[in-house]
Amino acid sequence: MSFYGCSLLSTQKFSLEKVTQLFSLTKTIESALINNSLEFSAQWQELLQQKVAMLVFFEPSTRTSLSFQMACERIRLPYINFPAFEQSSLIKGESFEDTLFNVAAMKPDLIILRSSKGNEVTDFLEELKIPVVNAGSGVDGHPTQALLDAYTIQKRLGSVEGQKVLIVGDVTHSRVASSNLDLLRLLGAEVAICGPEEMMPKNEPKWQEIKSFNNLETALEWATVCMGLRVQLERHNNKNGITTKEYSQNYCLNPEKLKILSPNGLIMHPGPFVRDVDFSAELLHDPRCAVHAQVTHGVYIRAAILVSILVEGMAS
Ligand code: CP
């Protein structure tokens, strides 16, 4: 697996070596941006200024969309945002595929794509002949989120290897959980899930290989890292499942429940969270909480990904 000139669609093709190289570049970019020294990028700037990234978000986003735009600004990479649904020809009935063929026909150097389509469009995306970065695909994957999550764990706890990462909530509908499971295990963490039975994935073999808890207290005694998830009501077909009230009583991460997690543990959430349904905003004041650090790291990771894909020899 290489980054240069390639699409980044899934965590399943990552290698330990390439992720380590990407984290090293991310650290360099982070230090340079914190120290406000842009010399680090002098060798790339001329090249990047001649390129254009196209951000195509067919689903709503705050963190991923803005952090990719921020990353582009930081590395001086020109970018164009695809218009909102009502302003695009999607509203006239143009399909997902035809829309992307037309985007690709404008010859951007890279497409950053969020959509409700999952792995079923992987072959089609390869037909575009332009590197595509997956910025969230249906319930199947969110590889850049997994990378920033792993980078955050490494920064805050020293290493991903040996951590016991508990993912709490609507795992069935979470592309973040799926990508995190792949990547965190590659990096040597043990991963477990916790939530009501109807939110625990049943089919894919990779979920059968890991611990699954229904009781949050027991799970938190086991964990060193606790990662909450939003209940993705927009993806639920079954309206007869657990109520929001029952869910929040049993699984909302809050200061009372998190007393069980080790004082050296880490509290995470990819966002967005719904206050007092899946996450209590009081936890943002807990020194173990990394929620806003995750967002900050998203800019660095995404900058490193863009540079690695567009500049030869960076992490490839
Ligand atoms: N974590 C995440 O993907 O957030 P957004 O949907 O706001 O991009």
Side-chain angles (χ1 to χ4, degrees):
M1 175 226 155
S2 166
F3 287 108
Y4 177 61
C6 295
S7 290
L8 195 169
L9 296 180
S10 163
T11 35
Q12 281 167 3
K13 289 190 180 155
F14 285 172
S15 70
L16 189 54
E17 186 196 359
K18 292 297 168 197
V19 173
T20 305
Q21 285 175 7
L22 185 75
F23 282 6
S24 169
L25 176 61
T26 304
K27 203 169 162 216
T28 305
I29 291 175
E30 175 177 0
S31 304
L33 290 177
I34 288 171
N35 298 322
N36 204 21
S37 75
L38 283 173
E39 306 88 71
F40 79 99
S41 62
Q43 53 176 319
W44 323 328
Q45 279 193 2
E46 210 179 311
L47 183 70
L48 290 178
Q49 278 168 7
Q50 295 159 27
K51 299 195 179 282
V52 180
M54 192 83 89
L55 279 89
V56 183
F57 278 64
F58 293 133
E59 280 192 339
S61 168
T62 297
R63 280 147 290 270
T64 314
S65 169
L66 289 176
S67 64
F68 265 115
Q69 292 176 64
M70 183 65 100
C72 289
E73 293 281 356
R74 294 299 194 202
I75 61 172
R76 310 285 191 264
L77 170 65
Y79 63 92
I80 295 172
N81 271 309
F82 186 82
F85 178 84
E86 306 78 40
Q87 264 86 49
S88 78
S89 287
L90 286 163
I91 202 166
K92 302 173 198 166
E94 192 163 43
S95 71
F96 169 85
E97 288 80 1
D98 289 326
T99 301
L100 284 173
F101 275 134
N102 280 278
V103 168
M106 292 172 216
K107 308 289 183 198
D109 296 282
L110 182 131
I111 296 170
I112 299 163
L113 177 67
R114 166 166 293 192
S115 85
S116 59
K117 313 271 186 192
N119 295 336
E120 73 274 15
V121 295
T122 301
D123 289 344
F124 160 71
L125 294 177
E126 293 298 336
E127 278 181 52
L128 299 176
K129 309 281 185 225
I130 289 174
V132 177
V133 178
N134 178 356
S137 55
V139 297
D140 285 337
H142 197 349
T144 67
Q145 178 71 43
L147 284 164
L148 75 89
D149 289 341
Y151 185 75
T152 301
I153 294 171
Q154 183 172 293
K155 273 205 71 148
R156 292 285 288 259
L157 300 183
S159 169
V160 176
E161 190 175 2
Q163 300 302 333
K164 293 179 171 178
V165 182
L166 178 70
I167 303 178
V168 180
D170 191 3
V171 180
T172 303
H173 298 99
S174 175
R175 53 193 173 206
V176 174
S178 179
S179 290
N180 261 307
L181 176 60
D182 299 335
L183 181 61
L184 293 172
R185 290 211 299 177
L186 175 73
L187 298 179
E190 190 180 348
V191 180
I193 53 177
C194 176
E197 202 50 45
E198 57 266 53
M199 294 185 192
M200 297 293 97
K202 305 271 179 306
N203 299 328
E204 264 195 273
K206 70 180 184 183
W207 296 110
Q208 312 309 319
E209 294 165 8
I210 65 166
K211 282 190 175 65
S212 176
F213 297 93
N214 286 128
N215 183 283
L216 183 57
E217 286 184 15
T218 314
L220 285 169
E221 280 167 9
W222 171 86
T224 60
V225 177
C226 174
M227 183 185 295
L229 297 173
R230 182 175 65 89
V231 179
Q232 304 206 19
L233 291 173
E234 72 276 21
R235 301 193 202 275
H236 285 221
N237 295 323
N238 175 11
K239 304 289 179 211
N240 302 319
I242 187 170
T243 64
T244 301
K245 190 169 169 204
E246 283 170 318
Y247 180 84
S248 61
Q249 272 170 356
N250 291 311
Y251 298 104
C252 179
L253 301 182
N254 61 30
E256 187 57 32
K257 293 196 182 90
L258 268 294
K259 277 182 188 162
I260 297 170
L261 184 71
S262 157
N264 302 318
L266 197 60
I267 301 167
M268 304 177 73
H269 196 300
F273 63 73
V274 179
R275 287 187 174 207
D276 302 324
V277 173
D278 52 82
F279 199 85
S280 159
E282 287 173 66
L283 282 178
L284 296 173
H285 305 293
D286 189 312
R288 298 170 298 175
C289 182
V291 167
H292 290 156
Q294 287 172 265
V295 179
T296 306
H297 297 158
V299 176
Y300 308 142
I301 277 282
R302 288 170 176 136
I305 289 166
L306 297 171
V307 170
S308 301
I309 293 174
L310 294 172
V311 183
E312 191 165 12
M314 297 312 298
S316 55

